[in-house]
Amino acid sequence: MTPQRRQRLILSCLLVAAVGGAVALALTALERNINLFFSPSQVRAGEAPDGRAFRIGGMVVDGSVARGDDLAVTFALTDTAATVPVAYTGILPDLFREGQGIVALGAMRGQVFVATQVLAKHDETYMPPEVTSALQAAHRGRYGDAAGDGYGDGDGDGAGDGDGAGDSYSAPVAGDSYDSGGDSPPQ
Amino acid sequence: MLDSVAEFFRMGGYAWFVWSSYGVVAAVLIQQYAAPLLRRRRLLREVAAATDRGDSAAAGGDGSAAAGAHGAAAGATRASATTATAAAETAP
Amino acid sequence: MYGLAARWAGRLGWAALGLFAAGTVGGLALAPADYQMGDSYRILYVHAPAAWMSMFAYAVLATAAGAGLVWRMKLGDAVARACAPLGAAFTLCALVTGALWGRPTWGTYWVWDARLTSELVLLFLFLGYMALAEALDDRRSGARAAAVLALVGVVNLPIIHFSVEWWNTLHQGASVTRLGRPSIDTRMLIPLLIMFAAFNVYFVAVLLNRVSCELLERERRTRWAAEAARGRGGHA
């Protein structure tokens, strides 16, 4: 390699490294803005903006969904450490169901998060319905009827999420504390 | 049989989203595949036309060529000129 | 070399067509529906490979552009220029199919989360590379300026890939490339892998076609170009 080429190679590598470092610093500084939502724990700890709209993300607590008149619905949102009640009026996405992850846009009004938009999150698990019901049956057989998992279907076995996939609310903690018995039916 | 075909195209109620996704991808991939092929065809035509011109120019530069040969070369120039025009017309 | 590239491009093109057919039939008809998303998850079979290829195309582009910059390799510049429109096309596919998948499942076409935003930045990187490579009259200085942009943009690749782990996003995590076994049922995985193969073979085929075009364009005055033109019936 000629000295000139070596120099160009070193310069190119330095360029990539310098830009990488600068971007890493910028992204770290902007972390709060890049995160799409706050967890219920963060909201409870007062980290969410006060009086301004923000997004909250978590798992819909099993058995907490209560429907009122005219598409009004209330439910509790949890990250397994803290729980925030949510009120919303409008059409919910297809994937909204108990035990499912959602992201809601809105603001705190007192102790209740009043949402203007509710988006459903889905995890990276793909499987056919038969497999899920088989898994559920096995699950129930093992733990008894009352032990339903708080994470929706199919996460009970080793293949589920919760191993560092980055979802703040998918920590592998047994979710019995707010379980009212029975899993939400698939589809 | 017909029902199951209709069911297939319905995609469980998600027909619009599923079929338009596949449609967009198919359209984009076909366009991307065709673009270099069309460009190559155009380029080859242009190169062929340029080669003909080059040949005839070389023949013309000979100077002491027989009249008959010269006439043939002139004819070839005219022919290649029409080819070049045709190539220019087909070019996008 | 030109002839070889063109011949292999043709073969790979047919292979890609076969794989696309198999993967599409497998994904749309043979794979079972998802337990949560029903049939809408079938968009996965075009969305995930397109998104993957958009990043792969950028990696190839940046490597080739870097080689062109450091070693003044003309072939490097030619490959990088060939990658750009193709990569932009993959990125566009990933964004459009993602929006069409997001609407029925999430409830929105678009959200400014880290994954979607960084993928949009990737599209702008491809477009910026194309614009810069064409912008300058002098082809070589254009290629150099564009190569610097390509190298700067490399930073975006790990951001796209790890965005779903570093930040909380609406987009879900990886299913296939995660450690351990993929969190996707085998019958659903097989068509997906076929589609991944199809996209890769297609990418190489189009790349070969584009590079052979670049070579032909650049060396149109040479003897082999004239022979190629005659051999392929340039008059027809």
Side-chain angles (χ1 to χ4, degrees), chain A residues 125-139:
Chain A
T125 315
Y126 302 88
M127 53 182 143
E130 314 91 80
V131 176
T132 346
S133 33
L135 278 178
Q136 266 171 9
H139 207 68

Side-chain angles (χ1 to χ4, degrees), chain C residues 182-197:
Chain C
S183 57
I184 172 167
D185 190 78
T186 314
R187 276 184 296 161
M188 299 168 154
L189 182 60
I190 290 169
L192 184 60
L193 294 180
I194 296 175
M195 281 305 247
F196 270 106

